[in-house]
Amino acid sequence: MKRIMITGALGQIGTELTMKLREIYGTDNVLATDLRRPEEGSAILAGPFEELDVTDAERMDQIAAEFKPDTLMHMAALLSATAEKNPVFAWNLNMGGLLNALEVARKYQLQFFTPSSIGAFGPNTPKDNTPQTTIQRPTTMYGVNKVSGELLCDYYFHRFGVDTRGVRFPGLISHVKEPGGGTTDYAVEIYFKAVREGKYTSYIGKDTFMDMMFMDDAIDAIIKLMEAPAENLKDRNAFNVTAMSIDPEMVAASIRKHMPDFELDYDVDPVRQAIAESWPNSIDASEAKAQWGFSPKFDLDTMTEEMLEAIKKK
Ligand code: AKB
């Protein structure tokens, strides 16, 4: 039975990851940590929880020493648009937090997961069907952090034998916890606005394609990769994963199959648009499929159905 410590457990991925891992491995075997304690009554407090600022190496070490996990999942990070507003803070949080987490994994010999992102690519990366190994010269602080993080995780594997594993996530779409500060967030907001107001104004322009994936598939991918036999893995970190390449018009067309009157218009945000244009249109996930059986279940239309139904029930 696994015993898992999670940082950033109240974030967009962390929230659902914590619940799923507790379902599989038992509530008491999954420790959620985050900067602040959630409100009383939050489902996360049904199991162990500790307050943790990931830049505080001593506290992270102390929590790990007490909980005695065999796995550390480091999810705490600032996303692309927020990182661009405060790049120095982003560097300190994203890189400082990661280094502290890797050190804890090294000291206590923990299996380790942290996500990278399509943000690790840049404007001179091949745009379509982007291979896993290719040019990476990102032009955002978030992207710089993600490439550095991929390299650092590989370094800890080769140099210290830490069992580091990671994927490059596309935009993740969920109705449980809304994301904050990302470039791909429009693809979540559009569903909430569709249900609540019947219309959405997109800050990302028409014909801007980015990869996306439904959160259930993202959580399954993490679990599958972490359970994959080490001998099957030629790579460790930075696996491309994706379920679809879409633009705002495609999401709107999918929503209109259920809500024919849904209206989409545009008020493009130049900062997030520039970030989106520096990322690939579509990435190639064939290595993840071949090495550990990555197989997303949701396409755009099945995801739209789930999103609209779940948001209507809220
Ligand atoms: C963001 O938009 O910053 C994230 C990501 C793709 O890493 N959702």
Side-chain angles (χ1 to χ4, degrees):
M1 186 58 85
K2 278 188 180 292
R3 199 163 161 84
I4 304 169
M5 171 171 162
I6 305 175
T7 70
L10 302 181
Q12 194 209 7
I13 307 176
T15 303
E16 283 182 64
L17 180 64
T18 303
M19 304 313 285
K20 186 73 189 189
L21 292 175
R22 283 179 176 168
E23 224 178 276
I24 300 174
Y25 303 112
T27 303
D28 293 342
N29 286 321
V30 180
L31 169 68
T33 73
D34 208 300
L35 194 54
R36 276 177 211 95
R37 202 176 166 76
E39 280 171 23
E40 266 339 290
S42 156
I44 295 283
L45 291 180
F49 179 88
E50 291 289 343
E51 272 176 51
L52 171 65
D53 171 352
V54 293
T55 63
D56 184 345
E58 217 171 291
R59 171 102 179 112
M60 197 189 288
D61 184 305
Q62 184 194 10
I63 292 174
E66 278 164 19
F67 186 70
K68 298 188 175 40
D70 56 35
T71 302
L72 177 56
M73 296 194 176
H74 178 59
M75 313 305 291
L78 225 55
L79 295 185
S80 54
T82 315
E84 229 36 58
K85 286 191 192 134
N86 199 342
V88 173
F89 178 65
W91 175 272
N92 289 334
L93 176 69
N94 290 351
M95 298 315 299
L98 177 60
L99 191 65
N100 292 341
L102 282 165
E103 272 300 287
V104 166
R106 181 180 68 80
K107 182 166 169 189
Y108 298 106
Q109 297 178 339
L110 312 181
Q111 197 191 26
F112 187 84
F113 175 86
T114 200
S116 183
S117 155
I118 52 169
F121 297 118
N124 54 8
T125 300
K127 281 254 171 251
D128 298 304
N129 211 23
T130 306
Q132 187 158 295
T133 305
T134 185
I135 301 164
Q136 286 180 269
R137 305 291 292 171
T139 45
T140 62
M141 174 51 90
Y142 180 68
V144 170
N145 297 163
K146 289 299 181 190
V147 178
S148 310
E150 291 175 0
L151 294 172
L152 201 57
C153 288
D154 274 346
Y155 175 80
Y156 268 70
F157 170 61
H158 292 298
R159 175 80 168 79
F160 302 119
V162 180
D163 184 5
T164 60
R165 302 184 185 199
V167 298
R168 289 186 186 126
F169 275 135
L172 297 181
I173 296 170
S174 149
H175 49 76
V176 175
K177 174 96 190 216
E178 292 187 53
T183 302
T184 57
D185 298 3
Y186 90 84
V188 178
E189 290 171 9
I190 194 169
Y191 289 109
F192 279 89
K193 291 280 185 184
V195 173
R196 290 175 184 162
E197 297 172 23
K199 59 178 190 243
Y200 179 63
T201 301
S202 175
Y203 62 82
I204 290 293
K206 208 174 174 157
D207 296 331
T208 308
F209 282 80
M210 286 185 280
D211 283 284
M212 304 280 171
M213 185 151 99
F214 192 48
M215 186 61 81
D216 290 34
D217 282 331
I219 304 291
D220 281 354
I222 296 174
I223 294 165
K224 220 172 205 173
L225 173 59
M226 294 305 273
E227 290 193 340
E231 60 272 19
N232 293 357
L233 301 179
K234 278 194 271 130
D235 303 298
R236 286 282 161 162
N237 298 290
F239 280 102
N240 282 1
V241 293
T242 181
M244 63 197 87
S245 161
I246 54 176
D247 82 327
E249 290 295 323
M250 285 176 70
V251 188
S254 181
I255 291 173
R256 284 191 195 111
K257 289 180 186 166
H258 306 267
M259 308 176 60
D261 296 333
F262 173 67
E263 287 170 34
L264 172 65
D265 64 7
Y266 294 90
D267 180 13
V268 172
D269 166 19
V271 174
R272 284 178 288 184
Q273 181 65 25
I275 296 175
E277 282 173 16
S278 77
W279 292 354
N281 296 330
S282 66
I283 62 172
D284 167 30
S286 56
E287 284 301 329
K289 289 177 183 163
Q291 293 186 43
W292 48 273
F294 169 65
S295 60
K297 294 182 187 64
F298 288 84
D299 62 14
L300 177 57
D301 283 339
T302 48
M303 180 177 79
T304 296
E305 231 175 281
E306 284 277 323
M307 287 295 287
L308 295 178
E309 251 173 52
I311 297 167
K312 276 180 201 156
K313 280 190 205 135
K314 277 183 193 278

